[in-house]
Amino acid sequence: MSIVKVPTNFNIDLEFEIPEFYRRLLAWIIDILIQYFYLRIAIAILSSVLSDQTLSEDDQYNLSSIWLMVLLPIMIYHVVCEITMNGQSPGKKIFGIRVVNENGGRPSISQFIIRWLLRVSDYSMIIIIYLYIAYGPYVFLYIPQLRWFAMIALAILITDIVLVVSSKKAQRIGDILAKTILIKINTKGNIEDTVFIAVADSYIPSFPQIMQLSDKDINAIKSILETARKKGDYNMAEAASSKIKAHLRIESSISPFDFLDLLLKDYNYLSTK
């Protein structure tokens, strides 16, 4: 099991599991199949509609625009899914993996776009698979341009695979440039998970200074607390508590676990009032 460590503002590294290669591969295959079958169905419908029609020159020009519209969902599949599904596509969701930035949080829109722009091999493989199944392997022998296209696409795909297998954070080209990583979810806490917990209306905050911290700091506190409790790591909780006390000028003899828990309750109460 590969682990990547994400630094926080409290000089404590949170650990996230890197998904196994087979998990990423199967998620990729599912996404490829979804896009492939969409393409087959869309082309079949469009071909059926146009089969009995005689097209003028203007109609042929318009038809090119229609074909581009047919291809558009494939082109934007990953970027739309990852932005709207919190770093996941259907394939990633099935196999429990998610895209996060190198700080462990949700990537920005620009990071999602950079990953998307460098998915050349994905789009190419969909087209190659479609041509192979629809017209047979000889289409690549008779059309030199398609042969070169297939070779370049395969080279990019192999490069991505080598990088994923060999790099420390299992990043492909798009991840390296976008500064993102893929992690397994439901294993270690994501520092962007919700911090909201139920607090009674009669609750009295103990440390109102907590509101001086940023949302990112609050998320980090929650993840540190959850990780420390899960591991029984007193030193991790103590280190975070000491850092926060020094920063907020708090004096308290409460145990580190209870102190961090109180901070989160105070934040939840004060942020909703």
Side-chain angles (χ1 to χ4, degrees), residues 147-265:
R147 187 164 62 247
W148 282 107
F149 174 77
M151 291 174 63
I152 293 172
L154 186 60
I156 295 173
L157 180 61
I158 292 173
T159 301
D160 276 344
I161 292 174
V162 171
L163 286 173
V164 168
V165 173
S166 62
S167 65
K168 183 179 179 180
K169 296 180 180 179
Q171 294 169 297
R172 61 179 185 83
I173 297 173
D175 287 315
I176 293 172
L177 295 180
K179 296 183 179 180
T180 56
I181 55 177
L182 260 67
I183 64 168
K184 289 175 67 175
I185 59 176
N186 301 324
T187 52
K188 300 289 189 295
N190 187 333
I191 67 174
E192 291 297 325
D193 287 344
T194 179
V195 299
F196 292 104
I197 54 178
V199 178
D201 292 336
S202 59
Y203 180 81
I204 300 176
S206 302
F207 307 109
Q209 302 98 313
I210 188 64
M211 300 309 292
Q212 298 176 29
L213 298 182
S214 66
D215 290 342
K216 182 178 179 180
D217 290 335
I218 300 299
N219 280 300
I221 291 172
K222 181 175 184 291
S223 287
I224 291 170
L225 178 60
E226 290 177 346
T227 302
R229 276 181 172 160
K230 186 173 183 179
K231 292 183 174 182
D233 192 336
Y234 180 89
N235 292 332
M236 176 183 286
E238 173 63 27
S241 297
S242 298
K243 181 79 173 180
I244 295 168
K245 289 176 183 178
H247 180 71
L248 299 179
R249 299 179 182 178
I250 294 175
E251 293 185 4
S252 174
S253 59
I254 301 174
S255 71
F257 289 102
D258 291 338
F259 176 72
L260 296 177
D261 194 45
L262 269 177
L263 288 179
L264 292 177
K265 289 180 179 178

Side-chain angles (χ1 to χ4, degrees), residues 25-145:
L25 178 61
L26 291 175
W28 179 79
I29 290 173
I30 286 177
D31 288 329
I32 287 288
L33 289 175
I34 290 172
Q35 296 170 85
Y36 169 76
F37 283 113
Y38 158 79
L39 184 62
R40 285 295 297 262
I41 293 170
I43 289 177
I45 293 173
L46 188 58
S47 299
S48 176
V49 171
L50 299 174
S51 60
D52 298 327
Q53 298 185 21
T54 302
L55 300 177
S56 65
E57 185 175 342
D58 288 339
D59 290 335
Q60 291 177 356
Y61 178 80
N62 293 332
L63 183 60
S64 299
S65 300
I66 293 174
W67 281 113
L68 288 176
M69 292 299 294
V70 168
L71 292 174
L72 183 61
I74 291 176
M75 301 301 291
I76 65 174
Y77 172 85
H78 278 284
V79 69
V80 171
C81 286
E82 289 176 358
I83 290 175
T84 59
M85 297 174 63
N86 193 24
Q88 294 181 297
S89 62
K92 292 185 181 71
K93 191 173 185 66
I94 290 171
F95 285 95
I97 59 181
R98 174 184 296 163
V99 180
V100 298
N101 62 33
E102 289 187 336
N103 292 322
R106 178 184 171 87
S108 64
I109 299 296
S110 61
Q111 287 177 301
F112 281 127
I113 291 175
I114 291 172
R115 295 187 82 253
W116 167 62
L117 291 174
L118 291 164
R119 281 191 172 274
V120 179
S121 60
D122 287 26
Y123 313 134
S124 303
M125 291 308 299
I126 295 168
I127 295 172
I128 289 170
I129 292 170
Y130 175 80
L131 292 174
Y132 184 91
I133 294 176
Y135 302 103
Y138 297 106
V139 67
F140 298 102
L141 297 176
Y142 297 138
I143 305 178
Q145 293 87 342

